[in-house]
Amino acid sequence: MAALEFTAHRQIETLYADHHGWLKSWLRRRLGNTADAADLAQDAFVRLLTRPVPLVSAPQARQYLRTMANGMCIDLWRRREVEQAWLEALAAHPEAVEPSAEDRAIVIETLCRVSAMLEQLPEKVATAFVLSQLHGLRYREIAERLEVSERMVKKYMARAMLHCVLLEAGNGS
């Protein structure tokens, strides 16, 4: 192990010893769930192992950990909202077969990725994309709902599709 890598790991080890308990408590208060708090606290330090950040003081370390953990909470809540919506949609179709745990995980991960993609788009662009791709509306119908021209709907769709392509290629923001 190189000297710099050893130093970074040593810093994270110290950071973990000094702040893990505090972070877990902060997350428990935020989430109201001990198991989720423990998981997210652990994930925060795993992220630091994969992408070390130089933190020079205890207050700076806590601020960074709080900011990172807050983002992780938001991701968890979004994922649960998507999962709940999908489960409700499944329950509304009694003829549906119960998917395997693996299939559920794949569907939920895909839905979360789509949700994250839509959140990066302007509201009308995302709405046009959803109305077209999920609800099967024609551009004319979308234009009426959004109170824009059909030409504008085409621009919205082109922008959404380009965004999808860029994300798939790994170049999306």
Side-chain angles (χ1 to χ4, degrees):
M1 185 183 306
L4 286 175
E5 190 176 322
F6 177 77
T7 303
H9 282 107
R10 191 62 149 158
Q11 288 172 341
I12 292 169
E13 184 179 313
T14 302
L15 190 66
Y16 184 90
D18 292 347
H19 301 288
H20 181 262
W22 166 82
L23 182 61
K24 194 162 72 168
S25 294
W26 185 85
L27 284 164
R28 188 176 27 249
R29 286 189 308 275
R30 185 118 163 92
L31 297 170
N33 181 312
T34 302
D36 288 339
D39 288 345
L40 288 186
Q42 195 66 28
D43 289 348
F45 286 97
V46 169
R47 282 188 187 184
L48 279 174
L49 278 173
T50 58
R51 288 176 275 154
V53 174
L55 301 167
V56 295
S57 68
Q60 182 190 23
R62 286 199 174 183
Q63 179 61 40
Y64 182 79
L65 288 168
R66 187 180 311 125
T67 300
M68 182 183 359
N70 190 52
M72 294 169 78
C73 287
I74 291 168
D75 291 345
L76 176 69
W77 292 326
R78 283 183 184 151
R79 182 178 182 86
R80 291 210 172 130
E81 283 178 1
V82 168
E83 183 175 6
Q84 185 59 40
W86 184 67
L87 291 173
E88 288 171 6
L90 261 182
H93 300 298
E95 71 281 352
V97 176
E98 181 67 26
S100 70
E102 182 180 349
D103 288 341
R104 277 177 75 160
I106 291 169
V107 168
I108 291 167
E109 181 61 31
T110 302
L111 290 171
C112 286
R113 288 181 68 200
V114 169
S115 176
M117 182 275 295
L118 290 172
E119 289 174 6
Q120 294 176 359
L121 294 172
E123 185 178 346
K124 284 191 175 185
V125 175
T127 301
F129 183 80
V130 168
L131 291 173
S132 171
Q133 300 302 303
L134 295 180
H135 298 283
L137 296 184
R138 299 173 192 266
Y139 287 6
R140 183 182 70 254
E141 297 167 311
I142 296 168
E144 290 171 6
R145 283 199 185 185
L146 296 179
E147 298 177 346
V148 297
S149 68
E150 253 185 90
R151 182 176 176 174
M152 187 48 89
V153 172
K154 289 178 186 177
K155 288 181 180 182
Y156 291 161
M157 290 301 295
R159 184 170 179 184
M161 293 296 188
L162 175 62
H163 190 70
C164 288
V165 168
L166 291 173
L167 285 174
E168 190 63 29
N171 297 327
S173 50

